[in-house]
Amino acid sequence: VAAPVNPSDYGSWFKSKPSSYPMVIGKEGCGVVVATGGGLTTYRVPVGTKVGFVCNGSEQGSYSEYVTLNAMTGAYPMPDDVPIEDCASFMVNPYTAVGIIDTAQSAGSSKAIVHTAAASQLGQMLNKLAPLKGMEIINVVRRQEQKELLEKIGAKHIIVTDGEEDAWKAELKAKVKELGATAAFDAVSGDMTGHLMDAMPSKGIVHLYGGLAGRAGNINPSDLIYRKKQLKSFYLTSWIQSGGPVKMVPRMLSAGKLVNSGLKSPDGWCCSQFQDTTMENAHGDIVQLLGGSITGKKLRIRFGGDQSSEDGGTEEKEADKEADKEADKEA
């Protein structure tokens, strides 16, 4: 029915070489089960079930009208009272939000965390989920309009980095000390990683999970050597699989229940704001969205039925308008 365009998806396109084609693209999506192979493994997803699905490790991506999946590990029943197209981003962002908070709490940062690129869909989800987990989020954003976006959804602690560097770093340090944060999750990388490391208290941890600004740097060796701070990675698949099947199964059952309860649009903690597009218009809409000043929407590719894009496909829409005008003149 639908599939989102995640950063990891368009990152694969932009970094690809001619030799990598044809390329399997699309890591998650949603739809309705139309056939099964039968047996016990398909018991929870019979024909007609609305499901979200993941394609990691599959030879087929989610940008398809039909996909074949392992019923046990690839398909997840979705709530019956939520439109299935609104479950397109059920996995990557929501489960990452759950995993980030679980990782922080397991490492002892149960009061607060720092999060960069905080105006993203994931950042918004974290701000909605955190109160349910008794945690505060210190949001780091680049621009004032991103701060305003977060304030509208109830975010309390927001650091804007478009001003004097010394000033916002001092504000960040003060907020970390005030709220007792000992962990940061960085989607930006570049110099930001070092700034976060500097803001963390002794034995604090910076978890790197994105590379928007390229290679991580600007790290003071003394933070690692003498203050015993740590730089670690956060990777969703590793979090899911950590501890082996004995811990993975209850972890995913608990996370799945939490995510499904949060898909209740428009107030659910993990509901997404989408901009619809088609396969034909996806590339142009991605470029347009990435060039915008606020990253509050996620692009969603629709399959079947009405695939018109509310905001995307602008060139085609303008062409249609011009054609209509010419037709009116001739009439």
Side-chain angles (χ1 to χ4, degrees):
V1 173
V5 180
N6 291 308
S8 56
D9 297 317
Y10 56 72
S12 298
W13 306 341
F14 291 160
K15 297 176 183 178
S16 63
K17 298 179 180 179
S19 59
S20 63
Y21 294 103
M23 178 185 292
V24 174
I25 52 178
K27 293 180 173 60
E28 66 175 328
C30 60
V32 179
V33 177
V34 295
T36 74
L40 291 176
T41 59
T42 65
Y43 176 77
R44 67 191 184 97
V45 286
V47 172
T49 303
K50 296 193 299 183
V51 297
F53 61 87
V54 291
C55 296
N56 279 341
S58 172
E59 294 182 356
Q60 184 177 13
S62 62
Y63 300 166
S64 311
E65 292 181 331
Y66 296 92
V67 295
T68 56
L69 300 159
N70 184 310
M72 287 294 291
T73 60
Y76 300 75
M78 293 289 101
D80 288 330
D81 54 350
V82 178
I84 187 57
E85 62 269 19
D86 290 341
C87 300
S89 290
F90 84 100
M91 169 57 74
V92 174
N93 281 343
Y95 279 79
T96 296
V98 174
I100 282 175
I101 289 182
D102 178 71
T103 298
Q105 291 180 330
S106 298
S109 187
S110 58
K111 296 180 180 180
I113 62 170
V114 180
H115 183 234
T116 62
S120 65
Q121 285 281 295
L122 172 58
Q124 294 177 51
M125 289 180 188
L126 277 169
N127 277 279
K128 295 175 181 178
L129 176 61
L132 303 178
K133 295 292 187 176
M135 181 173 282
E136 301 274 6
I137 305 294
I138 302 171
N139 301 275
V140 180
V141 296
R142 290 182 296 164
R143 294 182 294 273
Q144 182 64 31
E145 59 263 36
Q146 294 173 323
K147 176 181 179 180
E148 294 168 0
L149 183 151
L150 289 172
E151 287 176 335
K152 289 180 180 178
I153 63 170
K156 299 177 182 178
H157 314 290
I158 307 169
I159 309 296
V160 182
T161 64
D162 66 352
E164 183 66 32
E165 182 177 299
D166 289 343
W168 70 256
K169 285 181 64 176
E171 184 183 1
L172 177 58
K173 278 188 175 183
K175 189 62 70 173
V176 165
K177 183 177 181 180
E178 173 192 344
L179 298 179
T182 59
F185 290 81
D186 183 21
V188 176
S189 193
D191 285 347
M192 178 56 73
T193 305
H195 295 323
L196 293 176
M197 189 71 75
D198 184 49
M200 287 290 100
S202 295
K203 299 183 180 181
I205 305 172
V206 175
H207 300 266
L208 193 60
Y209 77 97
L212 296 173
R215 291 177 178 270
N218 192 37
I219 296 173
N220 183 349
S222 295
D223 280 333
L224 302 175
I225 300 170
Y226 302 112
R227 301 181 187 98
K228 299 182 180 179
K229 300 179 185 181
Q230 299 179 63
L231 177 62
K232 295 184 175 183
S233 67
F234 175 84
Y235 181 50
L236 177 59
T237 302
S238 297
W239 173 77
I240 290 173
Q241 297 176 350
S242 62
V246 173
K247 292 187 177 181
M248 176 180 169
V249 172
R251 178 185 298 119
M252 290 302 289
L253 288 174
S254 175
K257 184 177 180 180
L258 182 60
V259 169
N260 280 12
S261 69
L263 286 170
K264 312 292 184 181
S265 184
D267 298 322
W269 73 264
C270 59
C271 65
S272 296
Q273 299 176 40
F274 293 107
Q275 174 182 315
D276 284 340
T277 189
T278 64
M279 283 298 297
E280 293 78 8
N281 296 332
H283 181 269
D285 287 345
I286 290 168
V287 173
Q288 184 181 48
L289 198 62
L290 291 176
S293 61
I294 296 180
T295 57
K297 285 186 177 180
K298 180 175 284 291
L299 205 61
R300 175 175 62 183
I301 300 174
R302 300 288 296 271
F303 301 94
D306 180 11
Q307 298 182 358
S308 62
S309 171
E310 179 181 352
D311 298 307
T314 53
E315 292 182 3
E316 289 77 6
K317 288 183 178 181
E318 291 301 321
D320 290 342
K321 288 180 182 179
E322 291 300 320
D324 290 341
K325 288 180 181 178
E326 292 300 320
D328 289 341
K329 289 179 181 178
E330 294 177 0

